[in-house]
Amino acid sequence: MADSLDRLYFAVLEARDRSPSVSRTSKLFRDGVQKMAKKLVEEAIEVGLDAVQMNRESVILESADMFYHLAVVWAECGVTPAEVMGEIDRRERLYGIAEKLPKHAGAAQIRRMTPFSTRRKAAS
């Protein structure tokens, strides 16, 4: 799966600079991060609604759309699939693969999740 996400991510990066008239991906980048986030949320809602209806085929199709929009958001935010996979690996070591972080993460966790550039500005 990581290979597929990597290929999708790099294809998104490649399409970013194409003409928006021929590339929906490029148009998303031109429309800005708010539009990208909105599309990601719409796809996630569609996956959820299809899951509630137990519509397996639609869950598959909408999940693929959701991964695409997630890759677009990652590219805009400078996040790579490798970084996300690294976080999944870290969580697996701490909590097991099928668990997520507790809601009350400690200060070290919050600091680790804060972008370095933001921490640097705060320290100045």
Side-chain angles (χ1 to χ4, degrees):
M1 182 169 138
D3 289 344
S4 295
L5 281 176
D6 284 337
R7 286 193 310 276
L8 175 60
Y9 177 78
F10 290 113
V12 163
L13 288 177
E14 200 172 281
R16 177 173 44 191
D17 297 323
R18 292 186 188 140
S19 169
S21 65
V22 296
S23 170
R24 294 181 70 200
T25 302
S26 179
K27 183 172 179 350
L28 274 172
F29 279 98
R30 293 269 175 110
D31 289 344
V33 71
Q34 292 83 6
K35 178 71 170 192
M36 294 172 190
K38 179 182 178 213
K39 294 299 289 180
L40 176 59
V41 169
E42 287 173 4
E43 297 302 338
I45 290 169
E46 289 175 11
V47 169
L49 292 174
D50 288 331
V52 168
Q53 296 174 353
M54 296 302 291
N55 187 337
R56 184 178 183 280
E57 289 304 313
S58 289
V59 168
I60 292 168
L61 296 172
E62 297 300 338
S63 293
D65 290 346
M66 189 176 74
F67 275 125
Y68 162 76
H69 285 287
L70 184 58
V72 170
V73 168
W74 286 348
E76 179 66 12
C77 294
V79 173
T80 66
E83 291 171 310
V84 176
M85 294 303 132
E87 175 60 13
I88 290 170
D89 289 344
R90 186 187 76 78
R91 290 179 183 196
E92 180 180 11
R93 288 189 306 275
L94 293 174
Y95 305 108
I97 194 71
E99 300 297 334
K100 67 178 258 193
L101 287 177
K103 291 288 184 192
H104 48 11
Q109 173 65 18
I110 293 168
R111 185 176 191 291
R112 193 189 72 68
M113 297 302 287
T114 304
F116 182 72
S117 59
T118 305
R119 291 191 309 229
R120 214 172 53 201
K121 288 178 188 174
S124 301

